Amino acid sequence: MKDHVIIKSNKYGLTVYLDSEIEYKELLVEIENKFRASSRFFRGNEVALSFENRILTKAEEKEIVGIISTAADIRILCIIDHDAKTNQMYKSIVDETLAMVPEADGTFYRGTLKRRQLLETERSIIIIGDIEEGATVVSKGNIIVIGAIYGSAQAGASGKVDAFIAALDMEPAHLKIGDLEVRPVIGGDYSWAKLS
């Protein structure tokens, strides 16, 4: 019998190979069964997830992520895209900005923060999306945005003066490091703000 769902681990998380020929509803059942059977290996973990061998819509991705999260009792931090140009851009920016982070302590948020939304975190955060005008992100660590900042961002909210904010594009309403207002430095492939 053919394996319609194959799970492989990699250094970033899990790669799920999906049969491109099977009916979608049947595939969902196979995914749930495979992850439920493997749940003891994954339970309680936080992982990045990538899909191979089948093109999925955003709605299908969301549905599959929900099934995997429930069946395996894991938290999915982000889905890794397979657009080569986008992936290379994300990788280089994340690598450059993470090289400035003294400790590997952070979390991911996938999605755009809309007007009047507030995201607060105790740790450094990488946001894959935008911070729209009227939205606010407050982190006790660093803030890295794989997107644009049009709203407000405060890094080092616990008084950490060596924190920084980095984004692909910045036209912020307000930027703060600790309690001090800062201006972004625009240039190169991304923009940043930090206290000198």
Side-chain angles (χ1 to χ4, degrees), residues 17-181:
Y17 294 87
L18 303 173
D19 189 325
S20 60
E21 304 299 320
I22 189 174
E23 284 289 322
Y24 179 69
K25 293 293 182 191
E26 290 177 53
L27 181 65
L28 294 180
V29 172
E30 295 271 346
I31 291 168
E32 183 174 11
N33 291 341
K34 181 72 79 163
F35 276 90
R36 194 171 304 285
S38 306
S39 64
R40 69 179 184 278
F41 298 111
F42 304 125
R43 186 168 288 126
N45 285 323
E46 296 182 334
V47 299
L49 192 65
S50 67
F51 297 111
E52 294 278 352
N53 200 43
R54 186 176 180 124
I55 296 171
L56 300 168
T57 66
K58 293 295 178 195
E60 289 172 341
E61 276 185 1
K62 187 175 181 179
E63 186 174 18
I64 291 171
V65 163
I67 289 169
I68 292 172
S69 296
T70 303
D73 190 21
I74 58 175
R75 182 169 173 239
I76 296 170
L77 300 173
C78 67
I79 298 172
I80 299 170
D81 197 353
H82 290 289
D83 176 324
K85 185 177 178 184
T86 303
N87 276 352
Q88 186 55 42
M89 178 185 70
Y90 285 179
K91 182 186 182 310
S92 65
I93 289 163
V94 170
D95 287 347
E96 284 179 43
T97 51
L98 288 180
M100 296 186 280
V101 180
E103 71 279 344
D105 174 32
T107 189
F108 283 89
Y109 178 88
R110 184 176 190 227
T112 292
L113 291 159
K114 308 284 187 188
R115 183 178 299 276
R116 290 193 295 270
Q117 281 188 298
L118 170 65
L119 175 62
E120 292 182 281
T121 177
E122 298 284 318
R123 305 187 304 171
S124 295
I125 187 163
I126 298 174
I127 298 169
I128 302 173
D130 296 332
I131 302 172
E132 290 187 352
E133 187 177 345
T136 303
V137 175
V138 178
S139 169
K140 288 188 178 178
N142 305 299
I143 299 171
I144 301 167
V145 180
I146 312 292
I149 300 176
Y150 301 111
S152 302
Q154 179 183 9
S158 61
K160 184 178 175 189
V161 294
D162 63 340
F164 68 88
I165 301 167
L168 291 179
D169 186 31
M170 281 196 205
E171 295 176 38
H174 301 284
L175 287 183
K176 282 186 173 181
I177 304 293
D179 293 324
L180 300 174
E181 194 94 17

